[in-house]
Amino acid sequence: MTLYSAPVDDMRFALYDLLGADTALAALPGGQALNRELIDAVLGEAARFNEQVLAPLNQVGDTEGCHYDKASQTVTTPAGFKEAYAQYVDGGWAGLTAPETYGGQGLPETIGAAVKEMIDSANLAWGTYPLLSQGAVDALKMHGTEEQRRRYLVPIVEGRWTGSMCLTEPQAGSDLGLLKTRAEPADDGSYRISGTKIFITAGEHDFAENIVHLVLARLPDAPAGSRGISMFIVPKFKLGADGSLGQRNTVAAGAIEHKMGLKGSATCVMNFDAAEGYLIGAPHKGLMAMFTMMNAARLAVGIQGLSLIERAYQNSLAYCRERLQMRALSGAVATDKAADPIIVHPDVRRMLLTQRAFAEGGRALVLYAALQADIEERSTDQAERERAGQLLGFLIPICKGLLTEAAVECTYHALQTYGGHGYIAEHGIEQFARDARITTLYEGTTQIQALDLLGRKVMQLKGAGLRLFLEEIAGFCQQHASNESLAAFVGPLAVHAKTWSELTQELGARTTKNPDELGAAAVDYLFYAGYIALGYFWARAVVALPDSGLAPDAARDKRDTARFYFARILPRVHTHLAAMQSGLDALPDVH
């Protein structure tokens, strides 16, 4: 079984020393009670639950998988999953960040992001179930009526019910304009939903007594394309007037998928046969509600990538310290042993440092993004809210795209450090490599994230979020320009930020002439942006070290990792820059 120890100390460093999130959150309305003591208590209890309850079930879920019963059209989750969910609910975790008005604890999303990382590191497959419930909470909170919130949101917050997002169809993946599921109005004001959805995470399971499906469908008078999509609440069990469970609705799982990874997560084909549903928001405006869920889910999937990097790193580091193979090229290190531990070899350290650099830099990135979400939602200063919203929108595709691709890279490195032992199931490391692969695909592929970043967040929105982020980097570099001890970080960062701005203008001009230039550059642009963003947070980490209170060894390790990042990973931007400058001409037609 693989190891997991929640990185609470590094989370505290990122939250308090690097980002000052405790002070920022306490200054927001409703944050007066937030202090380090409270946050530490939440992180400590979350660490205990995830280390002791969820982590031991990770390999169990992968080995056993979910079970589908065709006769009853029900799904049974792996041994221990249901019981772990009951403990999760009893601990109050289901409503951690939900509004107190609806029975939640009302804690900030920043704290929720740290807890989510622990959940996903401990057991990513299990973590998909509460993730989908959170999506339903977000959509109902933003777009539902008060009656809908009371009837459907409150039981989800309590953990008695769960949620699902039913978007994808066999012919309509990322192109929702091709969606065919129908919604026919009924005489009582409800609707009858008919169609088939695929790849529905947590569409059917045994965790809770009811599942609230949020379903995209078309009304009879819907215009063509994505402008004609509406969103509906379709509960697994219908509700009585008093909110009690009634008869089974005509929605059921037709099958579950057999997958490369995440085998403990039920991925369902869902069939709706004139199922009773209720409209959320205005007719034909379902995309607004969908994007509320999708934006939160994309940040959450970025956290999934981070979580896999962290756990893979912990296990590969432990293995490399113990595994004896050959001698160091410079001479024997462990002279009392038959061979040296493989951590003495430079390229093994490269693989370990790559994982550490993405884990700790990525953690700062996602917590910074989550902090913007809290400011956007809670601040009473309209200008501050708009700024936070623009930054968050800009950073979400970077978080999702970069960190999930980094998870594929880092789980590969972790497996590689094990050699042949990593390829077999006994050590459990190959599971992380398989689980990581889906994160680059669901909630929008890396290519979709890249098009969203460059096409919408930069070009269509005239770079509002980009300008704010570059201004922040420029201000940081100017503030520390005279500090010679930071020159190796601040100098390169300032140059990269300036080039980033110039490159964006160049791409804008080329895209105006030929829109395909955007598609040719988008993925490289996402990586380019992501590497510079992580460079910014690593530079901030170095600045924060002297006053952090970290132990000398921990502070040394962070500074060493920052130097490694700037020397070995940040220079990747040059390759991506060259690829973008080669333009569309370097991508000829394929015959």
Side-chain angles (χ1 to χ4, degrees):
M1 183 174 70
T2 55
L3 308 169
Y4 178 62
S5 177
V8 174
D9 287 345
D10 194 68
M11 289 178 173
R12 296 177 76 251
F13 171 78
L15 286 168
Y16 306 152
D17 302 309
L18 199 160
L19 299 176
D22 54 330
T23 302
L25 293 171
L28 295 173
Q32 293 79 5
L34 280 172
N35 53 44
R36 294 191 181 189
E37 183 179 5
L38 173 60
I39 296 171
D40 285 350
V42 173
L43 296 180
E45 190 58 27
R48 184 203 64 78
F49 172 75
N50 286 288
E51 291 169 356
Q52 299 179 14
V53 178
L54 290 188
L57 296 174
N58 187 56
Q59 203 162 2
V60 173
D62 185 63
T63 303
E64 180 182 341
C66 293
H67 307 277
Y68 175 71
D69 183 81
K70 187 175 182 179
S72 62
Q73 296 181 306
T74 58
V75 173
T76 303
T77 54
F81 270 42
K82 180 179 179 180
E83 293 75 14
Y85 182 72
Q87 293 186 55
Y88 174 82
V89 172
D90 289 344
W93 300 109
L96 185 69
T97 60
E100 293 179 89
T101 306
Y102 303 108
Q105 298 182 46
L107 288 180
E109 294 297 336
T110 309
I111 309 306
V115 172
K116 176 170 173 47
E117 183 202 325
M118 294 188 214
I119 290 172
D120 292 338
S121 282
N123 195 326
L124 180 57
W126 187 94
T128 61
Y129 296 90
L131 168 62
L132 271 296
S133 293
Q134 183 61 49
V137 168
D138 291 337
L140 288 164
K141 181 176 70 175
M142 292 292 294
H143 303 282
T145 65
E146 188 60 29
E147 180 186 4
Q148 288 172 341
R149 296 186 193 114
R150 293 294 175 188
R151 285 172 70 83
Y152 298 102
L153 190 154
V154 169
I156 296 175
V157 170
E158 292 173 346
R160 293 189 293 111
W161 300 357
T162 62
S164 86
M165 295 165 53
C166 298
L167 315 180
T168 304
E169 298 181 6
Q171 79 293 340
S174 298
D175 188 355
L176 292 174
L178 300 177
L179 186 146
K180 294 180 179 178
T181 297
R182 305 182 313 279
E184 298 287 342
D187 293 339
D188 61 0
S190 65
Y191 296 82
R192 298 296 176 263
I193 314 299
S194 298
T196 296
K197 301 288 184 177
I198 63 170
F199 304 157
I200 307 306
T201 301
E204 172 61 27
H205 55 78
D206 57 358
F207 278 19
E209 62 186 20
N210 202 9
I211 302 173
V212 179
H213 304 289
L214 298 186
V215 185
L216 293 185
R218 292 186 182 281
L219 292 165
D221 61 344
S226 59
R227 292 178 299 173
I229 296 173
S230 301
M231 179 173 281
F232 300 86
I233 300 168
V234 182
K236 176 179 176 180
F237 286 93
K238 300 177 183 180
L239 305 187
D242 61 353
S244 61
L245 295 184
Q247 67 184 46
R248 179 71 186 263
N249 208 347
T250 50
V251 52
I256 59 173
E257 303 294 349
H258 302 281
K259 302 170 295 184
M260 177 179 178
L262 282 195
K263 295 185 178 181
S265 174
T267 304
C268 305
V269 175
M270 300 300 298
N271 296 318
F272 298 82
D273 185 10
E276 185 175 295
Y278 305 90
L279 182 68
I280 299 179
H284 318 314
K285 300 296 182 182
L287 282 186
M288 293 177 61
M290 187 209 73
F291 278 118
T292 295
M293 295 190 298
M294 190 67 74
N295 281 333
R298 286 175 172 175
L299 179 57
V301 174
I303 295 172
Q304 290 182 345
L306 164 64
S307 72
L308 286 167
I309 297 168
E310 174 64 36
R311 188 160 184 184
Y313 169 65
Q314 289 187 21
N315 284 272
S316 56
L317 176 63
Y319 185 81
C320 291
R321 285 170 170 166
E322 298 173 357
R323 175 67 169 170
L324 303 179
Q325 289 284 284
M326 302 180 294
R327 290 296 186 186
L329 296 176
S330 55
V333 175
T335 55
D336 59 331
K337 296 186 170 91
D340 288 331
I342 61 174
I343 201 168
V344 305
H345 303 302
D347 202 62
V348 171
R349 295 199 299 273
R350 176 189 63 83
M351 291 187 283
L352 292 173
L353 285 164
T354 298
Q355 294 173 71
R356 182 195 287 173
F358 277 118
E360 297 184 13
R363 181 171 296 118
L365 171 63
V366 298
L367 291 175
Y368 176 88
L371 180 59
Q372 305 314 306
D374 285 319
I375 295 171
E376 181 186 26
E377 180 174 352
R378 296 173 180 239
S379 176
T380 55
D381 185 323
Q382 183 62 28
E384 185 179 48
R385 292 179 63 178
E386 289 179 2
R387 180 183 186 277
Q390 289 170 342
L391 276 171
L392 176 62
F394 170 71
L395 290 172
I396 280 176
I398 296 175
C399 291
K400 202 281 189 187
L402 179 72
L403 293 181
T404 59
E405 292 288 348
V408 173
E409 176 183 349
C410 290
T411 54
Y412 166 89
H413 286 318
L415 192 155
Q416 192 76 5
T417 63
Y418 277 72
H421 292 287
Y423 191 68
I424 61 176
E426 178 185 355
H427 291 278
I429 203 75
E430 54 84 36
Q431 181 190 342
F432 302 136
R434 289 186 287 106
D435 286 350
R437 195 62 184 87
I438 186 59
T439 65
T440 69
L441 302 174
Y442 61 14
E443 306 304 340
T445 63
T446 303
Q447 288 69 27
I448 293 293
Q449 305 308 311
L451 290 171
D452 179 46
L453 174 65
L454 183 56
R456 184 167 184 271
K457 304 300 172 52
V458 174
M459 299 301 179
Q460 186 177 333
L461 298 180
K462 303 187 185 305
L466 171 63
R467 280 199 307 275
L468 291 171
F469 196 60
L470 287 176
E471 287 170 4
E472 189 170 315
I473 293 175
F476 170 85
C477 292
Q478 184 176 5
Q479 179 184 356
H480 300 285
S482 61
N483 189 333
E484 292 185 5
S485 67
L486 297 174
F489 308 105
V490 172
L493 183 61
V495 171
H496 287 311
K498 182 174 182 294
T499 305
W500 187 1
S501 177
E502 294 168 350
L503 167 70
T504 304
Q505 295 178 37
E506 176 188 334
L507 291 176
R510 282 173 23 200
T511 298
T512 300
K513 296 177 181 178
N514 186 344
D516 277 342
E517 290 282 2
L518 188 149
V523 169
D524 286 290
Y525 189 89
L526 185 148
F527 279 106
Y528 184 90
Y531 289 136
I532 297 174
L534 288 194
Y536 169 54
F537 288 109
W538 267 116
R540 286 184 60 171
V542 173
V543 170
L545 283 175
D547 299 320
S548 68
L550 285 175
D553 287 352
R556 178 205 64 211
D557 287 347
K558 283 198 182 299
R559 190 174 183 91
D560 286 348
T561 308
R563 282 200 294 263
F564 169 83
Y565 184 86
F566 271 74
R568 287 284 189 131
I569 297 181
L570 185 56
R572 295 179 185 183
V573 298
H574 298 300
T575 300
H576 292 293
L577 177 61
M580 286 184 279
Q581 290 176 334
S582 71
L584 187 62
D585 290 343
L587 297 172
D589 292 342
V590 178
H591 301 286

